[in-house]
Each structure stands twice: as structure tokens, then as C-alpha cells.
Amino acid sequence: MDTFLLSLTVLLAGGLFALLTYRLFSLMKAGYIAITAVGCLIGLYAIATPLQGGEIVTFSVSWLHIFTLSFSLDPLSAFFLIPIFAVCPLAVVYSFSYMDHPEQQGRVGVSFFFCTLLIISMALVATADNIISFVLVWECMSLSSFLLVLFEYQKISARKAGYIYFIFTQAGALFIFAAMAMAYSHTGTFDFSSFSTIPANFKVIIFFLALVGFGSKAGIFPLHIWLPYAHPAAPSNISAVMSGVMIKMGIYGIIRLYALLDVTELIFGEVVLSLGIISGILGVVYALGKHDLKKLLAYHSVENIGIILIGAGIGMIGISSNNMVMASFGFAGSLLHVLNHSIFKSLLFLGAGAVLQKTGIRHIDQLGGLMKRMPTTGKTFLTGSISISGLPPFNGFVSEFLIYYGAFHGITLNGSSFIFVMLAILSLAIIGGLAAACFTKVVGVVFLGEPRTEKAANGSEVGIAMTAPMILLAASCLLIGLFPAPFVDLAFMGLASVKALAPVGAEEIAVVTANLALAARLFLALFLICVLLRKVLYLRKQISRGPTWGCGFTQPTVRMQYTGTSYAMSIVDFFRPFVLIRTRYSGINRIFPGRTTYESRVDDIAEVALVDRIVTPLLYLIGKFRWIQHGYIQLYIGYIVVTIIALLLFF
Amino acid sequence: METFISLAIAILAAPLFPGIILKVKAFFAGKQGPPLFIKYYTVAKLFRKGSVYSNSTSFVFTLGPVVGFASAFIVLLFFPFAGATPLFSFHGDVIVLFYLMGLGRFFTVIAALDTASPFEGMGAAREVFFSTLAEITIFTVLLLFCRMNGSLSFAEYFIGENPISFMSDTGALLFLVVFAMFMVLLTENSRVPVDDPATHLELTMIHEVMILDHSGPDLALIELGSFYKLFFYSAFITHLIYPFSTADGIGNWFMFYGLLAVVYAVVGVTESMMARFKMDLVPKFVLTSFALVFFAAILTMGVFQ
């Protein structure tokens, strides 16, 4: 624990350094990055021992003389600390160039400070060991990220995004507090360890209350509405941290609470699995329908949270039906996907940030041809795209395979469990296919083909401080894909904290990972042979260049290219009525038609339902009470007096 | 030894069978048709040629054929042709292989988008949509098979201890699977009624339009890859119709390749007798195959309870 606390102290020092020296802009950035990197490295060193099953270290301090804040570092915490300490420093390095706004040095300094606070509070969330410390650091995490979203607070859209995020995160926190309070009322102590003694029917209520709260942080459909607002509004390095790492704290909360409550009823797994399926499929469908690059990536977070929950749901159903192979592989796949998603999603957000910085465009239909202009960004983004589509030989496939493996072990179950497992497998297949569809769209429209606008044509590669983190992340995608064994082992070690889980034989894990590695390497070898073969075939051949075959059309323009909208429309259309597609067409109505316009947009049903069914009626209802607010101070005092008297009379 | 011979035969014979389809179609049209070895000539001719690349393309365009070919080829290494033990096999290899085919498709599609051609974009959009739907059928088949005998690899399916066959308790369900897999075969290999490789109108094609700009050895790799893919799907169906056991020896091989030729001939007959669907009917066609196997999977609930 000492090393862990040391790393947090170093991180905090880095944040304070940024806050104090912002006037020396370059020095501040360099110093901040160096200190943060050192702090994160110490943190990674600190979690090495608990991950290897070493003894669980704890730390506690009394606060306000009444409360004890206690923290412990067990394998599950340690596993969730890996993305925090591994991905955050890369995003911080990236910000050296990305946040290069000397004219806003104060604001950048403050942003760096809150980024540090976010990292520290996430690390503390993952280690909190009682109710008080958990809710305290949870709030710190929410508030610091809220302030980070507000970086461009002079823009109305950024403020709106910030408010939406604030409402969702605080409403979610309210549910978590309610769950914790209910737990406290039954145990009479703040300790997490006594959660298992709560009566069974209250466990259900506590779990589902907290699930709403954690779900709103993780971005479970339909509580994901803040994600597509907050991620595009925040600077890309912050989006990478928030989407890659922070939303996983919601997943941590769900798995941790499940482990603490020590429950085996089927309902938990079934609900979590269903939420995972809904989030996964609808997340990717909306991602297909969206054409703002960062918004689209935000929806992919919803999708990947869905995959993670499908894994967790398979695990929970496995525990309920005492099928430990299914349970272990489901949970392990879920945990590994947490790590994998943090890698490729932050990679993709960093890539999107690079595109944004060089072109100033977020709408994919205005981009194009960037692979030639930004080769490193393009190649790393392509790597991330393949990984997030869950295709071998990259890392996304490894975790999805573990989930499949667990799910197929549950296929012999009977009754409703079989239906759930079947749905899980099918939805994983659908999600995989649609994710591939979506990322062929993104890569094809943004990076390939011809640039659709002047700005896209003038794009150029970003600096080394931005490309280096992307290259590192892309390399880890391939590394985990080709050498899955140590990472799969990490995930299984992280599971040691889930007590209901009997460990599955190390041999089976070794065989599965060895087979995965074999297939990935075999494919890579075959691919390299084919590349070589192709080289041989093209020896001494005439190779010429010309225009693209226009199918007889001789005057092609770049505007004729297929756009992201047209590419995805038939798929999105297939998913009606779960998506709302609104089109506006001016029509051709005269003999010499004027300018015609066509507009289509895909609206999120969750958001529309929230606005139409909850917010609008609520505003109407509250509007009826507007006469109470009249602005006369003496009458307000009168309200207070009357209230106090009334309370005194009745209580 | 048998493994390598079987693999070698599969690799060499795959381009022969599409010739059968052409012959059958020619027969129905009352023509003589191209020679049976036409595909070998085509590939050999393409290998000798050079290439023209579009100015719009980047390195991704050249990766498309290579990844596509490698992903189709790797499946052959895991598949027990005619009951011969495959080169590699492990529990779960089917998932890896279908995902690898997905990787091949990913690269074919982005290579098509790399050309900046509206037609190729159109083909790409259709390809990803229809193949996603076909993937659902495939995974339903996988979970049905897993439920039948607990296996998750091609070798376990067809030459394992308890092979999947019409003779077993749940054999009747295989009728549905054979039919559904045939529909998937037509979808995934861009055959009529989903796609028409013979048409000259770019607007109506799916797969062929995506490879319009490829030429020379690149195109040869794509063609070879598509032969292997079709060969794999046909062999899958062949194995379902007739289960093999390693003990039977050389007779197996004749039986296998004979039945395989029949499957190809049925493809040819289908192509001769049907017209290509309107594009909006294709999803319904593919989902019909899903409904069939889903029904079969639900039926197993009754069998095992």
C-alpha cells in the first residue's frame, strides 16, 4: 500500500505543479507529463504484488473524527488499476501537443490539475473499502470529470453537454447512495465486508438500485444519453480517459457489489445479461447512424460496455447454475474486455483528436483521404478499428473469445438459462458484424478515398507527442492478440476477489490461450507468406496508375463518393422502430426546380423518450408552481417562518 | 500423411468446382459452356499480368486481396476434408475461423472504399449488411451443434467421437441446417439469388463491384480466395449430408468429392432457375435461413429435457 500511496502522492504533486507553474507553459507541460508518468509507473509497480495473489493490503485513516476512510488493494482492484495507470499517462503525453494553447495557459493548467484529480479519484474508487470512502471518492471522480468536460465552457454546446453529464452522474450517484444507505440500515456498519449478511430480498433491491447508478456511469442503454454529449465536448485526451477508463468504474462497481453481496440467484445474471445485449446492439446501431466522429465513438463505448456486461452476465448465470467454467470464462472475458477496450477506445479517441486538430472537422462525411496525409494516425486508427471490431489477431477478439467460450459452456443448460445464453451468443455475433460494418465506414470514409473538403485535403500528420501514444496503444493491441497468455492470466487473477467463483483449472486456461495464440500467429504467418507471394508475383511486372474506373462515367467528382450516411442507412433502417430516422426532403415540384435539399438524422429513442415522457411533463408540472417564485424577499422569509412553525407544531 | 494429401487435394481442386456451376448453367441455357478447367486458366492468366492502380488508393487497397486470401485459406487448414484429420484443430476453432473470415471481409470492404468509387461503396455497404445477417445464422448453427454433441470445432463436428449426422438422435434437425447453410452459402459467396456475379450492371452487384479496380495477381488472389471460401461452405454442407469416419479409407474421398460436385451442381441449378432478388428482399431471404436454424435450436430444448 505504501508504494500505491506514494504513486498517488506523486500524481498529486504533478497536478499541483501544473496549477502553480502554468505561466511557464512549456515547462509546466513537460514537468506535469514527466511527474504523472513517474507516478503512474510507481502505481503499476504497486499493483504487481496483489495481482499475483499476494496478501491484500489495506490502509485506513480517520476523517472528521467520526468516519474511517479505508482502502484495500485486492486482485479485483488491482486489475482495474491497470487501465488507470497504463492508459492515463499516454493520454497525458498526448496532451503535450494536443493542449498546446499558450494563449489559454491558465485554463490548460487547471485542466491538467483536474485530470490528475480524476486519475487519483479513479484509483481510489477502485480501492475504496467502505461506504464512506467509496461515495466520497466516487463524487470526486464525477465532479473532476464534470469540470474537465467544461474545458471549452464559453461554448453553449459544451455547457449543455456538461449539464447533461452532471445531471446523469449526480442522479446516478443518488441511486448509489440510496443503495449504500439501505445496506447500512441492515448492517449498521460502513464496512463492505458485512454486505453478505444482508437479507436476501434486500440484496436484490440494493443491487438493482446500485445498478442504475453504476449503469449511468458506465453508459448502459438507456442511461447512456450523456456519453454522446460529453465525449465530443471534452478535449480528446480527456475523452480518451473518460471513455477508456472512467466509465469502467461503473463496471467495477457492478462486479464489486456482486462479489460483496455474495448472491447466486439467477435474476442478477439475467438482468445484467439483458442490459448488456440491449446496450451492445443498440449502441452499435446508433454508432452506425451517427456521423460525428467522436459521437460515434461514444456510442461504441455503449456497445463495448454491452459486451462487458454480456460477459459478466454469462459469469453470473454460470455461478447461479454452478457451471464454474462458464462463470470463470465469462467474468474473465468481461474483465479482459475492460482492459482491451481501454486500450483501443483511447487509441481511437486520440486518433479522432488528431484528425480534429489538423482538419477542424468532426463530421465524417466532410473528411476523406487522410491515410495519405496522416499515415501514422491512419494506420494506428485502422489497428484500433480492427481491434474494436473484435477481429483476430488483435486484442478485442481475445476477450470476446473468452466470453464465447464461457457462453458455449453454458449451452447445455436448460430452460430460461439456455435462452439467455443463446441470445448472448447471437447478440455477440450481431454486435461483431455491426461493429465491423461501422468501422469499415469510419476508416473508409475518413481515411480512405479522396478528401471531400478543402480542409480535409490540407490535413497533415501530427507531432510525435501525439503519434507516440497512439503507436504504443496500437502495438499493445497486436501484442495482446498475439501473446494473450499473460493478459488472460491477469484477468483470471483479478477474479480471485469473487468468492462465489471456484477457480477453474489452470490447464484449461493455458490450453485455451495457447490455441488462441496459435491461431493468431498462424494467421499472421500466413498473411506474411501471402505478402511475400504477392511481392514475387509482382516481380518485373508492369505497374501503372490511373483514375478509378468510373463505370463509363467520365467526369467523376469527390462528392460522388459513398458517404457514411448512405453507407450505413440500410443497416440502420433495418433496426426500426428501435431507432428514429427523420428525413426532410424539399421535393422537386416545379418544371424548373429550384435548389433541393435532403436531410436525414438518426435520433436516439432513449433521448427522445426522456425528453418527451419525463422532462417535458415535469417542466409543465413545475411551471404550474411558478407563481411561488415571485421575487419578493419578505414573502420568501415568510415561507421560511411558516415552514418552521408548521414543523414545530407537528414534530 | 493423409492430412497433407487431403489438404493438397483440397487446395488444388477448389478452382475446378466452380467450373461445374458454369457447365450446369450452360446446360440449362442450351449452350456448350466454357471448359471445366476455365478457372485455372483465368488464375494463371491473371498471375502473368501486371496491374493498374487507381490514384486514389493507398496501401490498404493492396492489403485487401492478401488478407482476404489468407483468411479464406486458413480455414482449409482446420477443415477435415473427406474425414481426414485436419492440420490444426482445437476446441473453439470455428469461432476463430468465422471471425478470421470477417477480417477478410473487413479488408475487402475497406479496399473497395479506398478507390473513392461510388459503385464500390455501394457494394461494400451491401456486403457488410448481408454478411452480418448471415453471421447470425452461422452462429445459431454453431450453438445448435454445440448443443447436439458439445463440440466447437470442425474436426469434432465431423470426425469426432460423436459426429453430427442424420443417424444421431437429433439428425432430423439437420435438414433445417442443410437448407439454411445452403442459403448462407449463396449469400456469403455472392451467388444468385443474392448477388449476380455475371451481370454487367455495376449497380446491381455486391461482391463483384467491390473488386472492380483490382487487376492482375491481386485479382487472382481474390478469385482464389473466393474459390476456397465456396469450397469450404460446400464441403461443410457435404459433410452434413454424409458423415465420414476415418476408418473407411479411400472410398470416402470419392464419395466426398462426388457429393461435393452435387452441391456445386445444385448451386448451378439454383442460379439457372432463379432470378436475383430485389435488394430489399435479400435481408428477408437471409433471415429465413436464421429462422430455420433458430427453430431447430429451440427444438433441442424439448429433446434434452
Side-chain angles (χ1 to χ4, degrees):
Chain A
M1 205 69 188
D2 287 346
T3 23
F4 178 70
L5 291 176
L6 175 68
S7 84
L8 295 189
T9 318
V10 172
L11 282 172
L12 187 64
L16 289 173
F17 176 82
L19 209 54
L20 294 175
T21 59
Y22 69 87
R23 283 175 198 282
L24 309 161
F25 192 60
S26 293
L27 173 79
M28 179 274 277
K29 283 194 298 179
Y32 169 70
I33 289 164
I35 299 174
T36 308
V38 170
C40 289
L41 282 178
I42 299 174
L44 278 178
Y45 174 73
I47 57 179
T49 331
L51 259 183
Q52 284 153 2
E55 88 186 82
I56 296 167
V57 279
T58 54
F59 162 80
S60 57
V61 57
S62 74
W63 183 54
L64 297 178
H65 303 289
I66 317 166
F67 303 121
T68 314
L69 299 183
S70 72
F71 298 92
S72 88
L73 194 53
D74 69 347
L76 188 64
S77 312
F79 186 85
F80 276 86
L81 287 171
I82 301 173
I84 298 176
F85 286 134
V87 172
C88 294
L90 293 175
V92 167
V93 171
Y94 176 92
S95 63
F96 182 82
S97 295
Y98 190 76
M99 300 291 264
D100 198 12
H101 309 298
E103 72 284 357
Q104 299 180 331
Q105 49 187 5
R107 196 189 291 190
V108 173
V110 172
S111 171
F112 282 176
F113 174 70
F114 281 119
C115 185
T116 301
L117 269 195
L118 177 62
I119 299 173
I120 294 174
S121 51
M122 286 192 297
L124 288 176
V125 165
T127 49
D129 199 30
N130 71 13
I131 293 177
I132 294 292
S133 46
F134 187 83
V135 294
L136 190 72
V137 291
W138 183 268
E139 274 301 285
C140 282
M141 178 177 84
S142 297
L143 290 178
S144 51
S145 51
F146 164 66
L147 293 166
L148 285 167
V149 171
L150 283 182
F151 180 73
E152 291 179 295
Y153 58 83
Q154 73 281 19
K155 286 189 190 166
I156 291 177
S157 63
R159 286 206 299 272
K160 186 187 173 200
Y163 291 144
I164 291 175
Y165 174 49
F166 189 76
I167 290 166
F168 269 86
T169 192
Q170 291 309 316
L174 213 59
F175 279 94
I176 296 172
F177 295 169
M180 295 292 175
M182 184 172 263
Y184 177 75
S185 73
H186 284 279
T187 61
T189 157
F190 288 122
D191 273 347
F192 274 167
S193 53
S194 57
F195 270 33
S196 56
T197 60
I198 299 170
N201 47 347
F202 286 102
K203 280 183 180 172
V204 178
I205 302 174
I206 291 171
F207 184 80
F208 289 118
L209 274 178
L211 186 63
V212 174
F214 292 133
S216 76
K217 178 63 74 181
I220 294 175
F221 202 93
L223 304 169
H224 67 285
I225 297 169
W226 64 272
L227 274 134
Y229 284 98
H231 288 316
S236 294
N237 54 329
I238 299 304
S239 316
V241 172
M242 281 176 68
S243 182
V245 187
M246 191 194 72
I247 61 171
K248 306 301 171 358
M249 291 300 122
I251 299 293
Y252 169 77
I254 293 170
I255 296 181
R256 170 64 79 191
L257 190 63
Y258 181 79
L260 285 176
L261 289 174
D262 199 20
V263 284
T264 53
E265 280 85 352
L266 209 50
I267 178 85
F268 296 97
E270 289 178 346
V271 169
V272 168
L273 184 60
S274 314
L275 286 175
I277 290 173
I278 295 170
S279 309
I281 295 180
L282 288 185
V284 68
V285 170
Y286 280 114
L288 270 163
K290 295 291 176 183
H291 307 295
D292 176 320
L293 188 50
K294 288 180 82 178
K295 209 168 236 194
L296 178 154
L297 290 175
Y299 273 108
H300 271 289
S301 297
V302 178
E303 171 226 328
N304 277 282
I305 288 294
I307 295 176
I308 293 168
L309 286 183
I310 289 175
I314 292 285
M316 292 176 191
I317 290 180
I319 286 182
S320 305
S321 47
N322 211 14
N323 185 341
M324 284 306 155
V325 178
M326 172 186 175
S328 306
F329 276 91
F331 270 123
S334 171
L335 282 193
L336 189 58
H337 205 73
V338 167
L339 177 63
N340 286 340
H341 181 247
S342 71
I343 294 172
F344 50 65
K345 184 43 73 63
S346 49
L347 166 61
L348 292 170
F349 265 116
L350 297 185
V355 171
L356 187 62
Q357 194 189 41
K358 284 297 172 185
T359 62
I361 302 173
R362 284 214 307 250
H363 197 291
I364 60 169
D365 287 347
Q366 294 168 7
L367 293 161
L370 289 179
M371 189 62 93
K372 288 179 194 152
R373 290 160 183 84
M374 309 175 77
T376 315
T377 310
K379 283 171 192 163
T380 50
F381 196 93
L382 176 62
T383 313
S385 303
I386 304 169
S387 310
I388 198 173
S389 307
L391 294 170
F394 291 92
N395 63 350
F397 178 70
V398 177
S399 41
E400 283 192 30
F401 183 82
L402 294 182
I403 300 176
Y404 271 124
Y405 193 87
F408 272 104
H409 265 277
I411 211 85
T412 46
L413 295 175
N414 273 319
S416 65
S417 298
F418 168 63
I419 301 284
F420 274 99
V421 170
M422 182 161 76
L423 287 179
I425 292 172
L426 291 183
S427 50
L428 273 179
I430 298 171
I431 293 167
L434 292 178
C438 190
F439 274 96
T440 48
K441 173 185 98 171
V442 178
V443 173
V445 174
V446 173
F447 289 98
L448 304 177
E450 293 288 337
R452 291 172 175 79
T453 51
E454 189 84 1
K455 280 182 186 166
N458 294 333
S460 59
E461 189 54 276
V462 289
I464 177 113
M466 286 167 77
T467 50
M470 293 194 276
I471 293 172
L472 260 176
L473 288 167
S476 12
C477 285
L478 190 60
L479 180 78
I480 299 180
L482 291 179
F483 301 93
F487 302 95
V488 174
D489 288 345
L490 273 186
F492 275 99
M493 283 171 195
L495 284 183
S497 306
V498 185
K499 288 193 194 66
L501 210 59
V504 51
E507 274 171 46
E508 180 160 11
I509 302 168
V511 167
V512 170
T513 45
N515 286 335
L516 265 180
L518 165 82
R521 291 173 205 166
L522 187 68
F523 180 76
L524 194 71
L526 207 57
F527 168 73
L528 293 176
I529 290 172
C530 289
V531 170
L532 219 68
L533 176 77
R534 190 177 166 277
K535 281 249 181 323
V536 173
L537 286 172
Y538 273 107
L539 276 182
R540 291 188 295 277
K541 289 279 173 61
Q542 191 189 355
I543 292 175
S544 48
R545 299 197 78 90
T548 297
W549 164 237
C551 302
F553 191 73
T554 51
Q555 296 291 320
T557 74
V558 290
R559 292 198 53 195
M560 283 172 56
Q561 287 178 89
Y562 232 48
T563 58
T565 315
S566 44
Y567 187 80
M569 193 45 97
S570 55
I571 304 181
V572 178
D573 199 47
F574 180 76
F575 282 91
R576 280 194 211 188
F578 297 105
V579 285
L580 288 176
I581 304 174
R582 297 185 188 180
T583 52
R584 216 169 45 206
Y585 176 47
S586 63
I588 299 171
N589 39 26
R590 280 176 295 165
I591 298 170
F592 298 105
R595 204 177 169 79
T596 51
T597 56
Y598 174 82
E599 190 188 318
S600 76
R601 51 188 271 223
V602 173
D603 282 329
D604 192 328
I605 43 164
E607 196 183 328
V608 172
L610 180 78
V611 172
D612 288 355
R613 299 284 155 78
I614 298 176
V615 175
T616 315
L618 202 66
L619 281 180
Y620 175 77
L621 192 71
I622 294 171
K624 295 283 173 203
F625 292 98
R626 193 160 284 168
W627 53 270
I628 298 178
Q629 298 283 348
H630 36 60
Y632 297 118
I633 192 89
Q634 56 271 54
L635 277 178
Y636 287 159
I637 295 171
Y639 291 159
I640 296 171
V641 172
V642 171
T643 312
I644 290 174
I645 290 171
L647 286 176
L648 283 175
L649 281 177
F650 287 106
F651 294 100
Chain B
M1 195 61 209
E2 197 196 4
T3 303
F4 288 102
I5 295 173
S6 163
L7 185 63
I9 293 177
I11 291 171
L12 292 176
L16 174 71
F17 288 88
I20 297 177
I21 300 181
L22 291 178
K23 276 288 181 198
V24 172
K25 286 173 83 172
F27 171 78
F28 271 85
K31 295 189 289 192
Q32 196 188 358
L36 211 48
F37 291 94
I38 176 78
K39 296 297 181 188
Y40 294 100
Y41 303 143
T42 313
V43 170
K45 182 183 76 186
L46 288 172
F47 271 146
R48 285 197 302 273
K49 290 196 175 236
S51 276
V52 184
Y53 289 106
S54 159
N55 292 322
S56 306
T57 57
S58 63
F59 78 100
V60 171
F61 185 72
T62 57
L63 272 185
V66 178
V67 178
F69 175 76
S71 70
F73 188 83
I74 196 169
V75 182
L76 302 186
L77 307 181
F78 286 83
F79 198 83
F81 293 104
T85 321
L87 206 51
F88 302 97
S89 173
F90 58 84
H91 188 71
D93 64 4
V94 277
I95 302 173
V96 181
L97 293 172
F98 279 111
Y99 266 71
L100 277 172
M101 283 194 249
L103 180 75
R105 188 183 312 123
F106 190 99
F107 273 91
T108 313
V109 165
I110 57 174
L113 291 171
D114 202 12
T115 60
S117 152
F119 296 110
E120 301 198 23
M122 202 176 285
R126 290 168 182 166
E127 169 94 1
V128 291
F129 182 26
F130 300 152
S131 56
T132 301
L133 295 177
E135 215 156 74
I136 309 175
T137 309
I138 292 169
F139 273 83
T140 318
V141 170
L142 297 189
L143 69 86
L144 174 65
F145 283 4
C146 186
R147 198 154 162 88
M148 281 169 142
N149 68 355
S151 57
L152 207 53
S153 84
F154 289 124
E156 290 168 28
Y157 287 162
F158 301 124
I159 57 172
E161 287 170 17
N162 182 14
I164 286 169
S165 77
F166 279 121
M167 317 323 174
S168 65
D169 300 345
T170 48
L173 297 176
L174 286 189
F175 284 104
L176 297 172
V177 175
V178 169
F179 207 79
M181 280 312 284
F182 189 70
M183 291 163 93
V184 170
L185 177 148
L186 297 176
T187 312
E188 287 279 295
N189 294 287
S190 47
R191 317 297 316 187
V192 178
V194 173
D195 187 6
D196 191 354
T199 175
H200 292 288
L201 194 60
E202 290 86 346
L203 269 175
T204 63
M205 302 192 293
I206 301 174
H207 183 73
E208 293 296 310
V209 73
M210 293 203 308
I211 56 172
L212 272 179
D213 263 83
H214 288 283
S215 51
D218 276 342
L219 187 59
L221 283 178
I222 293 176
E223 291 276 310
L224 269 178
S226 69
F227 298 153
Y228 291 141
K229 203 169 157 191
L230 182 57
F231 192 73
F232 153 70
Y233 277 101
S234 310
F236 192 92
I237 293 174
T238 310
H239 270 292
L240 289 180
I241 301 171
Y242 178 77
F244 300 86
S245 61
T246 37
D248 290 352
I250 202 93
N252 258 342
W253 294 28
F254 283 106
M255 194 70 188
F256 173 77
Y257 282 101
L259 276 174
L260 193 65
V262 172
V263 174
Y264 274 86
V266 174
V267 175
V269 172
T270 315
E271 297 216 338
S272 309
M273 295 175 54
M274 287 187 84
R276 201 183 59 73
F277 284 145
K278 257 168 71 185
M279 278 301 164
D280 52 353
L281 280 179
V282 174
K284 290 174 190 162
F285 174 76
V286 185
L287 285 177
T288 309
S289 71
F290 165 66
L292 290 176
V293 279
F294 188 75
F295 187 53
I298 293 293
L299 281 177
T300 62
M301 286 183 75
V303 173
F304 287 103
Q305 258 165 11

